[in-house]
Structure formats: structure tokens, C-alpha cells
Amino acid sequence: MTTPTPEIRPFRIDVPQDRLDDLSARLAATRWPDELPGMGWDHGMPVSYLRGLVEYWRTGYDWRAQETALNEIPQYITEIDGQQVHFLHIRSPEPAALPLVMMHGWPASFVEFLDVIGPLTDPRSHGGDPADAFHLVIPSPPGFAFSGPTREAGQSGSERHAEVVAALMARLGYTSYGTQGGDFGSLVGPQIGRIATEHVVGVHVNGLLTIGGWDQDTSGWDEADQRRLAEQGGFEEVGGYAAIQSTRPQTLAFGLHDSPVGLLGWIVDLFKTFSNPAKELPEDAVDRDALLTNVMIYWFTETFASSTRIYKESTHWGAELADSGVPTACALFPGDVTIRAVAEQQHTVVRWTEYDRGGHFAAMEAPDLLVEDVRAFFRTLRAA
């Protein structure tokens, strides 16, 4: 367990009942838009689908049960450079466990990792080898969840997130640790490897965002990379959300800060877009209650606006990223378009694994596969 200090304080989630009552009233009073017949998901979130999900949210979903379950996980808050930082810290019962910091992206939260906490921290109780155990640190980056909104410009970029997480690990007394992350977490983890190289034993990523390689000569790339490059080109058809969030996040925030149905539709549409493409509905890929709990975190903490600033304030876009030299493992799941040629220019890739099950939100869609990939990668580094 983390030892509480003046700098590190235990944290429990306790949403006031009047906030739940307000949410219920807003859901019941939703003013629904019209939709064209037969469009399905071609125009975005179908009204017919979202109506059913909202009705379940209002009458069937149990936040208090979710809140109780979340509070069984040790949570803490601290302050780093004036910014509150919320984090989960789960110590393994195995004394030789390796510290591992896990970082989510957008539009996720620490909820993304709930299904992997047990197997990673206590493999002995989950049919695994106790030698593969980890102490887990799962932060809510500045601007996300219970870390609360950022208060100054420049605090929400992925590079700043890396600085905050490195400082958090130092505060916790971890001098040697691994990193794991997907989506924006796949940028933050390697960046920690660049700025805290002497402390990071290995970097594990899923859905690595390979950026800065679009203007390269691709004639020598293999067929798989050529295909993924073409798929990235098609991203414009579904990437309108990123264009808005990287240019006009504040304008978008008015509607989604005020309307829980607007927030739900925006976030769940992204889960539909980037989860396993073989799945018909979002809840076919990700548990429905987990989807709603993730949205509830955004709603109750009022962090939609600040979380989307990561698109506006990150400076990785178009940058030629330096290789830290830290051993790196890349896991690819269905729908991921990571270009290996670019990944190997920017990272010391020592493990490359492709799966035919799961998706972009691997910890939620295929937690067993992600757990085994993380175990297998760090197993080689523990032995080194």
C-alpha cells in the first residue's frame, strides 16, 4: 500500500446524490434530433441506438454499485507543480514485483484498466507465474477524471503528461519501472523513456501512434506497412472529431459539458469507431456498464473540455521523435494502423506482436491477450 504523507492523500469517490438526481432529470428531458432513415452509423451515432442506451443509463445502470467497486481499489491524490494528480496504486503481494505505470488515452479513463489489475498484480491468484507480478500505478493525467481540469495553458499535452508521470513515480520512490500505454498513452510512455531513461527498464505500447513519418519515401516499406499507410489516409473519414478537438475544443465543450446525452453520444461513437471493426455495436466490443462508467467519470468530474486539450496542446504531431534506446514492445490489435517502419525509426523495438482478437481499447476488449503480452515482454527484461 502507498504510505499516506502530506504530499500523498487517500482518495475515495463520493458523488453527491443531487448530482445523480440532476443527471437523471437531464436524461429524461432530452430533446432528440431527427435522423434520416436507413443510414445506420454512416452519419455518426444513430438516434435509435442512443435512445436505447440512454434508457438503460437512466433506469438500469447502477452508479452506486460501480462507485463501490471502484472504491475497493486504492486511490490517491497528490499535487505536482500546482496540478492535482489522481492515481490508482495497487501493490502486488509479491515482494519482487516490478513497478509498472499504465497510461490511457482519449476518450478513456482509468476504468480502461480495471480488468487487468488483478492478473498483473497477483498472477498467482489468476493462473499465472508469481515471477510476472507488477506493482501498478495508473494515473489520471492532468485534465482527466479526478485530477480535475487543467488551469493553465500548456498543461494538457502528452509531453507534459510524461513529465508529470515521471515526477509521480519519483515521488512514490520507484527508481526502476516499466511503462505501458495505448492511444495517447503510447506517446506518453515512450516520452517518459526519453526524459527518464535511467529509470525506465522497458516500454510496452498497444496501438502505437506512429507520427512524423507521412512525408517519407515509402518505396521500401513492406506490404503490411503500405496497407496501414493507406488505412491511415482513410482516417479523414472518421477523424473529424480529432480535427475539431485539435482546433476548437472550447467551442465543442459547451454542448458536451451541458448535455449528458451529447457527451455519451460523442464518446461512445469513438468507442464504436476504434474498437474491433468486426463488432457491430460498441457493447459487443466493450462491456456496456464499463462504457457508461467511463462516461460518468467525465460527466461528474467536468473534464471533457480539459481532456480534449491534449489534441490542441500536444506537440508530437509531425515531429521526428528521437529513439530513447529503451527496449520497446509493440502489440497490435484489429483496427490498429501502426506503421512498423516508422515505429522502428523512433523506438528500439525488440518485440512486435499482432493479434486477431481485441481492438484499440485492448485492456477492455482483450485483457487476457494484453496481460500475457505485457508479462512476456517484461519477463525478458527482468531476466536481463
Side-chain angles (χ1 to χ4, degrees), residues 1-23:
M1 298 290 291
T2 301
T3 302
T5 69
E7 292 183 318
I8 299 174
R9 304 181 302 281
F11 178 83
R12 287 181 60 82
I13 304 170
D14 185 14
V15 175
Q17 185 59 42
D18 62 351
R19 296 289 307 277
L20 289 170
D21 295 340
D22 173 72
L23 173 62

Side-chain angles (χ1 to χ4, degrees), residues 228-309:
R228 291 183 182 119
L229 180 64
E231 290 172 352
Q232 284 193 6
F235 181 75
E236 294 178 0
E237 297 180 11
V238 297
Y241 84 95
I244 293 173
Q245 291 179 181
S246 61
T247 56
R248 291 294 184 271
Q250 192 63 49
T251 304
L252 177 67
F254 290 105
L256 276 62
H257 184 84
D258 187 61
S259 167
V261 172
L263 179 67
L264 178 71
W266 190 261
I267 288 179
V268 173
D269 187 48
L270 270 295
F271 272 87
K272 160 66 175 175
T273 299
F274 293 109
S275 59
N276 190 330
K279 303 297 184 180
E280 181 179 357
L281 297 174
E283 64 264 33
D284 294 336
V286 175
D287 177 77
R288 181 170 60 170
D289 279 2
L291 281 171
L292 290 172
T293 299
N294 184 68
V295 173
M296 291 286 265
I297 298 294
Y298 279 87
W299 179 254
F300 287 132
T301 60
E302 301 183 10
T303 52
F304 174 81
S306 57
S307 71
T308 58
R309 292 178 197 138

Side-chain angles (χ1 to χ4, degrees), residues 1-2 16-17 43 69 76 90 114 138 145 205 264 327 350 359:
M1 298 290 291
T2 301
Q17 185 59 42
H43 286 198
Y76 303 88
I90 310 95
L114 296 182
I138 304 175
V205 291
L264 178 71
V350 299

Side-chain angles (χ1 to χ4, degrees), residues 9-294:
R9 304 181 302 281
F11 178 83
R12 287 181 60 82
I13 304 170
D14 185 14
V15 175
Q17 185 59 42
D18 62 351
R19 296 289 307 277
L20 289 170
D21 295 340
D22 173 72
L23 173 62
S24 181
R26 288 171 183 261
L27 295 177
T30 300
R31 187 172 70 170
W32 293 96
D34 69 285
E35 64 180 336
L36 294 172
M39 290 294 102
W41 292 79
D42 287 347
H43 286 198
M45 176 66 68
V47 176
S48 54
Y49 170 78
L50 196 60
R51 274 184 179 273
L53 186 57
V54 168
E55 183 61 18
Y56 173 73
W57 191 9
R58 190 175 70 86
T59 63
Y61 171 82
D62 186 347
W63 164 254
R64 289 304 187 197
Q66 299 293 321
E67 183 180 68
T68 298
L70 292 176
N71 280 331
E72 292 177 357
I73 305 169
Q75 300 177 56
Y76 303 88
I77 55 173
T78 190
E79 187 174 295
I80 295 175
D81 296 336
Q83 172 67 48
Q84 178 169 288
V85 178
H86 163 264
F87 62 99
L88 281 57
H89 189 195
I90 310 95
R91 294 278 299 180
S92 171
E94 306 296 339
L98 175 69
L100 178 69
V101 58
M102 304 189 76
M103 293 153 295
H104 64 78
W106 195 92
S109 66
F110 61 90
V111 172
E112 181 174 356
F113 297 117
L114 296 182
D115 289 341
V116 303
I117 290 174
L120 288 176
T121 58
D122 191 8
R124 188 190 300 269
S125 298
H126 292 80
D129 185 344
D132 289 329
F134 297 91
H135 301 307
L136 292 185
V137 178
I138 304 175
S140 297
F144 283 78
F146 296 101
S147 290
T150 49
R151 302 302 182 188
E152 298 179 9
Q155 298 301 302
S156 297
S158 55
E159 300 85 352
R160 178 56 184 158
H161 289 181
E163 294 171 355
V164 168
V165 173
L168 173 63
M169 296 302 281
R171 181 167 295 178
L172 291 172
Y174 290 133
T175 58
S176 180
Y177 55 89
T179 75
Q180 199 288 320
D183 194 79
F184 270 99
S186 78
L187 297 180
V188 176
Q191 183 64 12
I192 296 172
R194 296 185 187 99
I195 65 174
T197 309
E198 68 278 17
H199 300 299
V200 180
V201 300
V203 172
H204 185 284
V205 291
N206 61 281
L208 175 65
L209 302 178
T210 41
I211 55 182
W214 297 295
D215 297 330
Q216 295 185 25
D217 178 5
T218 64
S219 59
W221 290 7
D222 63 20
E223 182 178 344
D225 276 352
Q226 296 286 358
R227 172 177 52 79
R228 291 183 182 119
L229 180 64
E231 290 172 352
Q232 284 193 6
F235 181 75
E236 294 178 0
E237 297 180 11
V238 297
Y241 84 95
I244 293 173
Q245 291 179 181
S246 61
T247 56
R248 291 294 184 271
Q250 192 63 49
T251 304
L252 177 67
F254 290 105
L256 276 62
H257 184 84
D258 187 61
S259 167
V261 172
L263 179 67
L264 178 71
W266 190 261
I267 288 179
V268 173
D269 187 48
L270 270 295
F271 272 87
K272 160 66 175 175
T273 299
F274 293 109
S275 59
N276 190 330
K279 303 297 184 180
E280 181 179 357
L281 297 174
E283 64 264 33
D284 294 336
V286 175
D287 177 77
R288 181 170 60 170
D289 279 2
L291 281 171
L292 290 172
T293 299
N294 184 68

